Amino acid sequence: ALWTVRAVLAEDTAWAGAGHEVAWGQLPAAARPVRTPPAATAVPRRGEGNVILLGPGTFDATTGTLGYLDGVLLRGPRLEVWRAPTDNDEAAPRQPGRSPAAEWRRLGLHRMRHRVDAVETLADALIVRTRVAAAGAEPALRTVYRWTARRELLRLEVSVEPEGDWPAPLPRLGVRMAVCGSVGHAEWFGGGPGEGYPDTLAAARVGRWSMPVDAMQTPYVRPQENGARPGVRWAQLSRTDGSGIRIEGDPDFYLTARRWPVEELDAARHTTDLSPGELVWLHLDHAQHGIGSQSCGPGVLPRYRLEVAPARFAFTFSSLR
């Protein structure tokens, strides 16, 4: 629970009317309750064709990839560390060629390969072991996806262990997935209504927000990473009839939703280069690198850098009916 304190004008002025909000702030009203993961009661089993069934999920038995959630078509989720570099990521006026984006590209973070090492079915879980790395590169992220379920819920626990030497921070750390484009309305409890990143959170007020996916983009002059909603406890993506999916984070996460994948956003030079596709692409980020001000000033402050380190995070998925 949070206290929201607002300062508003008591009467009309020459520059704004009575009730105009001058400032606001939020303070915790009570300790947040500890989240208890849902008990795993479903047993993985082989279905017709090359699939594994677990609770409401249908998985590819070869890759361990989730394909359907209670009949809702999905792609992913899988680990994602790349973001379309911002103007600040690209700029380093005092050190040409040493911008964060240049370092990320040298590491190959824009071309990561996902090698599946094992797909294991246990009594109460589906385990997918992968190695995520750029082709021919030594640094890697050993990533384990642990899926558990009960009849109506599907839980994903992600464990990430770095390998090798990582000389630069990551742009982001989380998972990305795609859902049918008809799931075009977003509702969430977390920061909003606009975007917020680790060092730009001051304008993101925690609350319950709702808007079309198409309204979640920040229209920067040059297309780049944008639109993350911070501190999201849960989010719902729905169709006009109310059906869709619900996602709960453990812990909170950054939610980004758009109608083009990050590769197309990265390649675009003008907003007219971006064409909505048939899917809605979701980023559920455990962490983000800060934005900084390197195009005209200092880079990201140390406390907002996303240094490479072991990480654990989880999401619970369910369908809306």
Side-chain angles (χ1 to χ4, degrees):
L2 293 170
W3 289 107
T4 300
V5 181
R6 303 169 62 236
V8 300
L9 293 179
E11 56 188 35
D12 293 343
T13 69
W15 52 274
H20 174 78
E21 185 174 81
V22 178
W24 63 271
Q26 290 185 310
L27 299 169
R32 292 179 60 180
V34 177
R35 297 174 179 173
T36 302
T41 59
V43 177
R45 58 187 177 85
R46 288 276 180 168
E48 294 184 8
N50 190 39
V51 301
I52 295 173
L53 305 176
L54 177 61
T58 302
F59 298 81
D60 185 294
T62 302
T63 64
T65 303
L66 177 64
Y68 292 90
L69 175 69
D70 202 11
V72 178
L73 177 66
L74 302 175
R75 290 186 184 177
R78 73 175 190 181
L79 192 76
E80 181 63 84
V81 298
W82 181 247
R83 75 183 186 195
T86 67
D87 291 339
N88 290 335
D89 294 336
E90 294 280 17
R94 292 170 298 281
Q95 294 179 297
R98 299 291 293 177
S99 69
E103 292 287 341
W104 295 338
R105 289 192 174 96
R106 269 193 283 271
L107 284 170
L109 300 188
H110 61 308
R111 54 181 180 87
M112 301 292 269
R113 307 290 294 272
H114 297 251
R115 186 186 76 194
V116 178
D117 290 336
V119 178
E120 307 167 1
T121 53
L122 307 181
D124 63 348
L126 172 66
I127 309 294
V128 184
R129 303 184 187 277
T130 68
R131 182 179 188 272
V132 182
E138 177 187 355
L141 298 169
R142 289 282 181 180
T143 307
V144 178
Y145 306 89
R146 186 177 191 273
W147 292 94
T148 56
R150 54 197 230 192
R151 187 177 63 84
E152 74 282 10
L153 297 176
L154 192 60
R155 179 177 171 83
L156 169 63
E157 298 176 3
V158 183
S159 301
V160 182
E161 294 290 340
E163 290 183 348
D165 180 31
W166 289 86
L170 295 174
R172 69 178 350 134
L173 180 66
V175 298
R176 80 163 175 176
M177 57 190 291
V179 297
C180 177
S182 61
V183 181
H185 189 82
E187 183 178 358
W188 71 96
F189 186 84
E195 69 179 21
Y197 289 83
D199 49 357
T200 65
L201 292 177
R205 184 183 308 189
V206 175
R208 184 168 180 165
W209 307 103
S210 177
M211 68 180 64
V213 167
D214 295 334
M216 296 184 70
Q217 301 304 292
T218 304
Y220 293 110
V221 174
R222 183 184 72 81
Q224 57 194 278
E225 170 61 34
N226 75 91
R229 270 56 180 186
V232 173
R233 281 69 156 171
W234 59 260
Q236 296 182 167
L237 282 295
S238 61
R239 303 184 177 92
T240 54
D241 64 1
S243 63
I245 64 170
R246 178 182 172 93
I247 305 162
E248 298 182 24
D250 183 12
D252 304 345
F253 61 100
Y254 291 84
L255 169 69
T256 308
R258 55 175 68 107
R259 293 191 180 275
W260 37 79
V262 66
E263 293 84 0
E264 292 183 13
L265 183 62
D266 187 13
R269 291 297 171 261
H270 305 87
T271 54
T272 53
D273 298 334
L274 295 168
S275 299
E278 297 179 354
L279 300 171
V280 171
W281 293 87
L282 303 177
H283 288 269
L284 315 175
D285 289 317
H286 174 63
Q288 278 266 359
H289 188 60
I291 299 299
S293 59
Q294 197 159 354
S295 61
C296 60
V300 175
L301 295 176
R303 65 180 178 274
Y304 300 124
R305 289 168 55 91
L306 179 50
E307 303 294 353
V308 181
R312 305 285 188 277
F313 50 94
F315 302 98
T316 301
F317 302 91
S318 58
S319 64
L320 303 174
R321 298 170 183 265

